[in-house]
Amino acid sequence: VEIALRAAAVELAATVVTGTIRAQGADEAVSPTTVLSGAQLDRQLSTTVASTLQNQPGIAIATLGPATGRPVIRGLSGDRVLMLEDGLRAGDLSSTSGDHAVSIDPLTARQLEVVRGPMSLLYGSSALGGVVNVIRDEVPVALPEHTGGTLGATGTSVDEGAALAGVLNSRAGAYALRAEGTARRAGDQRTPLGTLDNTRIETLGLSLGASRIGAQGHAGAAYRFYDNSYGVPGGFVGGHERGVRIDMRKHAARAEGELRPDSGARFSSVRGSVSGTRYGHEEYESSGSLGTRFRQTVVQGDLLARHRHIGSITEGALGMRYQFRDIVTGGALRTPSTRDQSVAGFVVEQFEAGPLVVNAGARYEWARFVPYEPGAVVIVNDVQIPARSRTFSNVSASLGVLYDAGHTIGHALEGVHIGASVGRAFRTPDFNELYSNGPHLAAYSYDVGNPSLRAETGLGIDVFARLSRDRVRGEVALFRNQMQGFIFPRNTGDIGLQGNRPKFQFTGRDALLTGAEGSLEVSVRSDFTVDGALSYVRGTFVGMVDSLPADVANGIPDARPGSRYLPLMPPLRGHLGMRYERGRASSRSWNLGTALRAGAAQRNVGDFETASAAYALLELTGGLRFLVRGRFHAVTLRVDNATDTAWRRESGHVRESAVRP
C-alpha cells in the first residue's frame, strides 16, 4: 500500500473533548469552537490563559496587570465564562474580581479549548459566555509506550522574565505516572510610556498524577500545588500610589475513574470524579500591612454517563454535579464569610439523520448561599438590607443543529457546515454580588452588593457557518443574547469612601448583547498562508434611551442618570497576518510570519468609564522545528508591538493602569 502525504500550511482541525458527548473533530462541533494546540499554541503562548487566547475570534481580555488576565467572550466575563482544568473548575476566586489571578498556568497545556453554545450545559448553567478548558491530562488516561516528556523554557525581554516547565510521563506495569513542574519569574513590565511599577510575577507549580489503566477504563488521582505572588499597579484614582502585592496559593487533589463497558452495553462510558481545593490569598499594601484576606475550600463531585444508540437518539449523556464552597474573608473587606452549595442534573442528547445533526439538552440547578455572620447588613443606596440566606433554582435548556451542506448540495459546498443554536441560561448571583459592603484593596473599588438581587437569565441565539477544506479553513458566527436581570458593578460616581475609592453598586438590569465574529485561513501556496479574524460585540441596557435610566432595579430607587451601554465592552477588533513555512515534510522546518492587530476606538462606555482610543500593532514571528535522534524540538521567537505603539487595554475599569507592553 502506498500512501501519499501532501504538505500544506493550513493545519488539520484538532480533536475537541470539551462540551462534546465524545471526542470529535472541531469541524463536527455543534457550536462555534476555538482550539489551540501544537505549533499554533507554541506561537501564541503567553503569561496567562487569557493572554494566550486574546487574539482568537470573539475573545478579549480583562486585566488589572500582566498577572490578572481573564478571558472575555462575546462581552461576557466573570463566572459567565467557566475556567476548567481537565474538565473541572479551577477552584479559585478569579471570577469575583479583576485583581484575582486565574490559578492556571498555560506553560504545560497540551491543548486549549473554547466552546460556546448548547454543550456548556455539561459544566454549568451560568456559562452564558462559554467554557475555557486547559487540557494537560493530570490524571493519565493511557499508558505511555516508554518514559518521555517535554521541557520548555521561555524568556521575555519586556519584563526580563524567564519561565521553565517540564512534564515527565512514565509507566510501571499497568500504572501510568505523570509529574510536572513549572516556575516563572518576571520583573516590572516596560511600556512605551515608561515602566509600569509593581507588576512583577513569581509563580511555582507542581503536580503529580497516577492511574491504573485497564482494557475497559482507568482509575487514578492527582495532586497540584500552585503559588503565585504578583503585583497590581497603582498611582491613579482609588489606587495606592505604589500598588498592591497579592500572595496566593492553591492545593488541589482530585480522583477520577472511567468505565467503558463492552460494545453490547447500553452505556459507552461512565465517568466519575471528585476533587477538593484549598485556596487562599492575601492582599498587602505597599507598607507591608495586610489589607484583605480570602480563604476558600471547595469540594465538587461529577458523574457523567454516556449512552449509545437508543431509538432515534444516536448518542447522549446524562449526569449530576454537586459543589460545596466555604469562603472566609478578613482584613478591610466587609463581605461576610459565606457558605454555599449547589446541586445540578443534566441531560444532553444527539440525533443524526444523514447530513443533519441535532443536539438538545436541559439542566436543572439548585443553589443556596448562607452568610454566617449574624447581624451583617448591606447598605444599598442608604437602605439597610440584611445579609440573609438566599436560595435559587431554575432550568436551563438548549437546542443546536449542524447541517453538512456538501453532503447533499454537491461539490461546490464540500466542507461547508451550517449551524444554529438557541439556549436559555440561568445564573445565580455570587456571594460578592449579594453581600459585598466595603473597600476592596487591590481592585481599587468600594464594592456594595445587594442581597435582594434576582437570578440572571439569558436567551441566546447563535448562527454560524464553517468551511473546512485542504487549503481553506474559516468560520463566521452571529449571536444575540437577551439578558434579564444582568448583574454588573455599576459605577455610582461617588468618591471618598475609605481611601478615595470609587463606589460600585452591584445592580441587575435587562440587557442585550449582539455581535459577530469570524476567522479565515487560506493556503495561497503549500508554504504560504494568509489568515485574518474580526470580532464585534455591542452591549446595551434595555429600555434606557438618551443616557437616562429606565426604572427601578430590584426595588432600590436609582435616581442617578446612567449610560445606556454596558461597561467593559471590547471594541471592534481584528487581525490580518501571513506566514511562510518551509520543510514541513522533512525533519527540519522553519517559518516566518507577521500580523497586524488592530482595535477601533470604544466610545460606547458605561457610567464614568474612560473611552479607549484606536490602536494598531505589528507582530513578528519566527520559528524552527527539528528532530535530533528521533526527539522533537521547537524554538519560537515572537516580537509583540514591534513599532512600540502606546495603547491601553480595551476592557477594564482602571484603564489608567493598563498601558500595554
Side-chain angles (χ1 to χ4, degrees):
V1 176
E2 291 185 359
I3 300 175
L5 302 180
R6 182 181 60 180
V10 173
E11 297 176 10
L12 295 174
T15 298
V16 180
V17 298
T18 306
T20 60
I21 297 176
R22 54 173 170 79
Q24 60 186 36
D27 295 336
E28 303 175 79
V30 193
S31 304
T33 303
T34 298
V35 180
L36 281 185
S37 62
Q40 189 179 19
L41 179 57
D42 290 343
R43 290 192 293 267
Q44 298 299 323
L45 191 63
S46 189
T47 305
T48 64
V49 174
S51 56
T52 300
L53 290 169
Q54 63 180 320
N55 294 320
Q56 302 305 309
I59 303 175
I61 179 174
T63 177
L64 285 178
T68 61
R70 185 173 174 87
V72 178
I73 299 180
R74 295 179 172 180
L76 298 174
S77 58
D79 66 352
R80 300 179 186 93
V81 176
L82 291 183
M83 298 294 297
L84 306 178
E85 202 165 16
D86 282 336
L88 290 181
R89 302 192 187 201
D92 56 33
L93 288 170
S94 60
S95 65
T96 63
S97 182
D99 62 298
H100 299 170
V102 177
S103 61
I104 303 175
D105 196 311
L107 273 173
T108 56
R110 177 173 62 81
Q111 185 162 294
L112 303 183
E113 298 182 0
V114 183
V115 175
R116 301 170 287 273
M119 296 304 288
S120 63
L121 290 175
L122 289 172
Y123 303 101
S125 57
S126 64
L128 304 173
V131 176
V132 177
N133 194 7
V134 178
I135 298 171
R136 41 174 139 245
D137 298 327
E138 278 190 336
V139 178
V141 297
L143 283 172
E145 293 186 9
H146 51 75
T147 298
T150 62
L151 181 66
T154 303
T156 49
S157 63
V158 74
D159 52 15
E160 298 179 353
L164 186 67
V167 177
L168 181 67
N169 295 295
S170 186
R171 64 180 295 174
Y175 290 88
L177 310 174
R178 182 185 186 277
E180 173 197 313
T182 61
R184 183 190 301 275
R185 186 169 187 174
D188 288 339
Q189 193 174 78
R190 292 191 297 276
T191 79
L193 301 183
T195 300
L196 194 58
D197 293 331
N198 196 45
T199 51
R200 65 174 180 82
I201 306 171
E202 292 183 9
T203 68
L204 175 66
L206 301 170
S207 174
L208 293 172
S211 289
R212 190 183 191 285
I213 311 297
Q216 292 185 312
H218 74 278
Y223 164 78
R224 171 169 290 276
F225 169 77
Y226 182 76
D227 184 271
N228 189 359
S229 178
Y230 61 94
V232 179
F236 45 88
V237 174
H240 291 269
E241 188 62 32
R242 298 175 60 187
V244 172
R245 188 184 89 249
I246 295 181
D247 293 335
M248 59 173 283
R249 74 214 57 83
K250 181 177 79 170
H251 298 270
R254 60 189 294 170
E256 68 176 48
E258 182 176 19
L259 175 64
R260 296 187 296 273
D262 295 331
S263 58
R266 176 64 66 191
F267 289 94
S268 58
S269 74
V270 178
R271 185 186 184 100
S273 63
V274 61
S275 68
T277 304
R278 179 69 171 172
Y279 170 90
H281 86 231
E282 296 82 35
E283 302 173 4
Y284 294 95
E285 301 182 28
S286 56
S287 63
S289 60
L290 177 66
T292 304
R293 174 187 288 120
F294 290 94
R295 294 285 185 271
Q296 176 176 269
T297 301
V298 179
V299 177
Q300 53 184 324
D302 294 86
L303 181 64
L304 177 66
R306 295 179 171 91
H307 68 77
R308 296 187 174 94
H309 188 92
I310 302 177
S312 58
I313 301 175
T314 308
E315 56 187 340
L318 61 156
M320 297 183 63
R321 183 176 191 277
Y322 171 79
Q323 176 178 294
F324 170 82
R325 183 175 61 164
D326 182 80
I327 301 170
V328 179
T329 61
L333 192 70
R334 294 184 182 175
T335 304
S337 300
T338 306
R339 292 190 183 99
D340 65 72
Q341 57 182 326
S342 62
V343 180
F346 58 87
V347 58
V348 178
E349 303 294 346
Q350 187 160 298
F351 311 81
E352 295 182 16
L356 184 66
V357 177
V358 180
N359 191 293
R363 182 183 183 100
Y364 173 80
E365 191 153 344
W366 173 92
R368 180 169 175 79
F369 294 82
V370 181
Y372 55 93
E373 293 183 17
V377 297
V378 180
I379 302 175
V380 182
N381 293 349
D382 299 324
V383 178
Q384 288 192 358
I385 301 179
R388 63 187 186 276
S389 301
R390 295 294 306 277
T391 301
F392 304 90
S393 63
N394 213 315
V395 174
S396 302
S398 65
L399 177 67
V401 297
L402 183 68
Y403 179 70
D404 184 355
H407 187 274
T408 53
I409 297 178
H411 181 73
L413 293 180
E414 182 182 356
V416 175
H417 291 79
I418 300 171
S421 65
V422 58
R424 180 189 187 274
F426 158 75
R427 173 182 173 267
T428 64
D430 206 354
F431 80 102
N432 59 308
E433 296 169 334
L434 291 170
Y435 307 126
S436 292
N437 190 30
H440 192 154
L441 179 69
Y444 308 129
S445 60
Y446 190 102
D447 299 333
V448 180
N450 186 346
S452 300
L453 284 172
R454 296 187 293 267
E456 182 180 296
T457 58
L459 181 64
I461 300 175
D462 199 296
V463 180
F464 66 93
R466 183 182 295 140
L467 174 63
S468 179
R469 293 181 177 174
D470 288 345
R471 293 182 174 270
V472 182
R473 293 183 59 82
E475 185 175 85
V476 61
L478 305 174
F479 61 89
R480 183 182 190 273
N481 286 324
Q482 180 80 46
M483 316 284 287
Q484 291 186 333
F486 178 80
I487 300 170
F488 70 104
R490 180 177 62 86
N491 190 337
T492 65
D494 294 331
I495 297 290
L497 294 170
Q498 291 199 19
N500 203 33
R501 296 182 181 90
K503 179 182 177 182
F504 290 84
Q505 171 68 63
F506 283 102
T507 306
R509 287 180 179 162
D510 294 348
L512 177 66
L513 293 96
T514 56
E517 63 202 26
S519 64
L520 182 65
E521 185 179 21
V522 180
S523 178
V524 181
R525 306 187 339 176
S526 62
D527 55 7
F528 184 68
T529 303
V530 176
D531 68 280
L534 203 63
S535 305
Y536 176 72
V537 60
R538 184 175 188 267
T540 58
F541 292 111
V542 176
M544 297 188 69
V545 182
D546 298 327
S547 298
L548 294 176
D551 51 10
V552 173
N554 296 306
I556 306 299
D558 181 8
R560 181 182 298 278
S563 170
R564 63 180 298 216
Y565 297 106
L566 270 65
L568 309 181
M569 288 291 106
L572 173 68
R573 302 175 301 114
H575 80 264
L576 180 64
M578 58 186 70
R579 187 175 75 256
Y580 179 74
E581 191 163 2
R582 289 298 301 271
R584 287 179 61 108
S586 67
S587 61
R588 183 183 299 267
S589 67
W590 58 271
N591 65 83
L592 293 173
T594 183
L596 181 67
R597 306 192 184 279
Q602 178 59 288
R603 297 186 176 90
N604 298 334
V605 295
D607 293 345
F608 306 102
E609 189 179 0
T610 306
S612 65
Y615 65 88
L617 310 172
L618 179 64
E619 178 185 281
L620 306 173
T621 61
L624 178 66
R625 300 165 71 83
F626 56 95
L627 288 171
V628 176
R629 295 184 179 179
R631 290 168 175 80
F632 175 74
H633 306 274
V635 178
T636 302
L637 176 67
R638 190 176 79 239
V639 182
D640 297 330
N641 194 6
T643 56
D644 210 27
T645 300
W647 68 293
R648 286 176 167 81
R649 176 63 56 201
E650 319 95 346
S651 183
H653 75 266
V654 187
R655 288 199 174 98
E656 295 87 343
S657 71
V659 181
R660 303 304 294 157

